[in-house]
Amino acid sequence: MTQPGVEDVDVVVIGGGPAGSSLAAFVAMRGHRVLLLEKERFPRYQIGESLLPATVRGTCQLLGVADDLRDAGFIVKRGGYFRWGSAPEPWVLDFKDVPGLGEGIPSYQVERMTFDHILLRNARRTGADVREECAVTGVVHGDERVEGVRYVDRSGRERLARARFVVDASGNTGQTFRAVTGNRIYSDFFRNIALFGYFEGGRRLPEPYSGNVLTAAFTSGWFWYIPLRPNLTSVGAVVSREMADKVRGDRERALYALIEECPMVRDLLAPARRVTDGVYGRIRTRKDYSYSADRFWRPGMVLIGDAACFVDPVLSSGVHLATYSALLAARSINSTLAGDLAEDVAFDEFESRYRREYAHFYEFLVSFYDRHVDERSYFWTAKKLINYPASELEAFTSLVSGLGSGEGALLGSDRPIWHPPEIEEGTPAGRFPDWDTDRHIRFDARHPLFEAKEWVPGGVPNQGPRPGGLIPSEDGLRWTVPEPAPVA
């Protein structure tokens, strides 16, 4: 008999952001009992407004929120607009260069308060028990596995939820990840500081690029310029830790000084005024330290989204990594709860694939930060990194669209886009590569772009799909064992 103040469920999810809400929905869709605990009341502010096609055309389609996104009136994002690298003129990333993307909305610029609320409401709509203003205070450990969480509900009462699985989607500031691992491996290469605010009346890029992200490099770092509404723009400067003095002191003065260093952004903001009231009225800072936990799961508990890893935001990969990791982990949970697969088999597949996707962005961004080359060098790097079978431009566009995994589910298909190479076991792992202090790659034999065997930060080989690994089910919500290849 269940004790007062104690409840039993299949899955407890810590955090209601895109990762937590997506996983809760994907598991509830399979009829499992899901309890989602979110410490805040939605809608709430969050940074990270630019989505990739893999999120809009893939995970959001699987979640069933495509109509909700369309009805929200978000700015349509058709690609990127770069003042980056050695080329004297800006260059364009166009999502229509992604093979198989087809017609329709490729992606959106979103106000996260609205977008995240859509996903949270959808988790409730699919059957998850969503409770806001409930703060998790600890993880319950059994003899061999995690068995639940303790939390304080909105009335201040302490409660206990027992579960087959606990999912930590609490983000980069949560501490419950320590129940899986106490070790996050931080990159020495990406240690940047962002200073950002919101402006009304800023100019738009020329058509047909008015809805694109502008990513503009300047002497001290780079700017993002993201149109959120016809009259609202998110503007942020990212500088390295060596330039940290530029963002100290008076934040408004520091932001305007950085804007003056970047003529392209300065000209776009010439008629604009900074928003000074409401949720967008603050100038905020954020440290973008890239990291990876040395393990993503243990029996009974899994880390997803920023609780597991984070990478520099220059290519807007944050929400993609969050929602894709939710899909991967949900497949493992659904398969295990159904008795189809052993827990270790299912979650090793999750971790392998999530690390591979993270590694695609991490390794590509290292080369992308070399701004002494033109865009063709970036295209070539993308093709080599994901072993793409077509052109360099298509490889680059696919990777930065969140499609580097080759998984068809991210384009609404049940077939792979292409098959990444199988990677052998036993490759080096557990740390980031070494880098020169001038932020250029140190060419050595360990770097995955220059050796036959790739490796990723944190301890698991870059496999996806690994030899003998699993494949998604037809509905995309479970893992299945592939049929043996026919004998010739």
Side-chain angles (χ1 to χ4, degrees), residues 12 138-141 145-150 160-163 165-166 300:
V12 171
V139 172
V140 178
H141 297 270
R145 59 188 296 114
V146 170
E147 296 182 346
V149 301
R150 294 183 178 87
L160 170 64
R162 296 187 299 212
F165 291 102
V166 172

Side-chain angles (χ1 to χ4, degrees), residues 361-379:
F361 282 97
Y362 181 90
E363 299 294 353
F364 179 76
L365 287 174
V366 169
S367 64
F368 195 67
Y369 263 81
D370 182 357
R371 301 204 295 260
H372 295 83
V373 299
D374 66 20
E375 63 270 26
R376 291 170 297 180
S377 176
Y378 306 138
F379 301 167

Side-chain angles (χ1 to χ4, degrees), residues 3-224:
Q3 301 173 353
V6 180
E7 53 201 315
D8 290 291
V9 295
D10 295 314
V11 179
V12 171
V13 182
I14 307 170
S21 293
S22 297
L23 182 137
F26 285 137
V27 175
M29 286 176 184
R30 299 294 303 174
H32 303 300
R33 298 169 299 161
V34 181
L35 173 62
L36 187 154
L37 301 172
E38 165 55 48
K39 67 179 180 181
E40 298 187 48
R41 184 76 181 177
F42 278 38
R44 54 88 176 97
Y45 173 81
Q46 186 59 270
I47 188 65
E49 300 105 339
S50 194
L51 304 186
L52 302 186
T55 301
V56 174
R57 301 291 292 274
T59 49
C60 286
Q61 287 281 355
L62 285 171
L63 287 167
V65 297
D67 290 345
D68 302 83
L69 299 185
R70 181 199 61 210
D71 295 343
F74 295 133
I75 296 288
V76 175
K77 173 185 173 183
R78 303 191 184 280
Y81 198 84
F82 293 89
R83 177 61 185 91
W84 193 278
S86 62
E89 299 297 327
W91 51 280
V92 175
L93 159 69
D94 195 329
F95 290 146
K96 70 182 181 183
D97 290 323
V98 175
L101 192 60
E103 300 299 324
I105 301 298
S107 192
Y108 293 106
Q109 315 286 14
V110 300
E111 294 183 68
R112 285 288 302 277
M113 289 186 296
T114 303
F115 176 74
D116 290 12
H117 205 189
I118 287 171
L119 296 188
L120 190 71
R121 290 198 305 264
N122 184 66
R124 184 179 283 120
R125 185 168 62 199
T126 57
D129 182 356
V130 175
R131 301 181 195 174
E132 298 170 77
E133 299 176 284
C134 291
V136 172
T137 58
V139 172
V140 178
H141 297 270
D143 292 336
E144 298 181 352
R145 59 188 296 114
V146 170
E147 296 182 346
V149 301
R150 294 183 178 87
Y151 70 100
V152 177
D153 66 19
R154 67 178 60 183
S155 69
R157 184 174 59 166
E158 294 185 355
R159 303 190 64 173
L160 170 64
R162 296 187 299 212
R164 293 276 302 279
F165 291 102
V166 172
V167 178
D168 186 356
S170 60
N172 66 328
T173 61
Q175 296 299 309
T176 42
F177 78 92
R178 298 183 184 280
V180 172
T181 175
N183 189 21
R184 278 181 175 171
I185 305 164
Y186 285 84
S187 168
D188 286 327
F189 186 74
F190 295 113
R191 291 202 172 184
N192 298 327
I193 302 171
L195 181 69
F196 56 96
Y198 296 82
F199 290 79
E200 292 180 335
R203 296 189 175 109
R204 292 290 175 253
L205 296 170
E207 293 294 349
Y209 312 120
S210 62
N212 288 13
V213 178
L214 167 64
T215 305
F218 67 110
T219 303
S220 298
W222 61 272
F223 265 98
W224 75 71

Side-chain angles (χ1 to χ4, degrees), residues 410-425:
L410 299 182
L411 277 180
S413 170
D414 60 357
R415 295 183 179 181
I417 306 168
W418 77 92
H419 291 281
E422 291 186 346
I423 304 300
E424 298 177 17
E425 298 280 0

Side-chain angles (χ1 to χ4, degrees), residues 383-398:
K383 180 177 174 66
K384 185 173 180 63
L385 179 61
I386 65 174
N387 198 41
Y388 194 75
S391 72
E392 288 85 352
L393 174 60
E394 290 174 341
F396 170 78
T397 311
S398 295

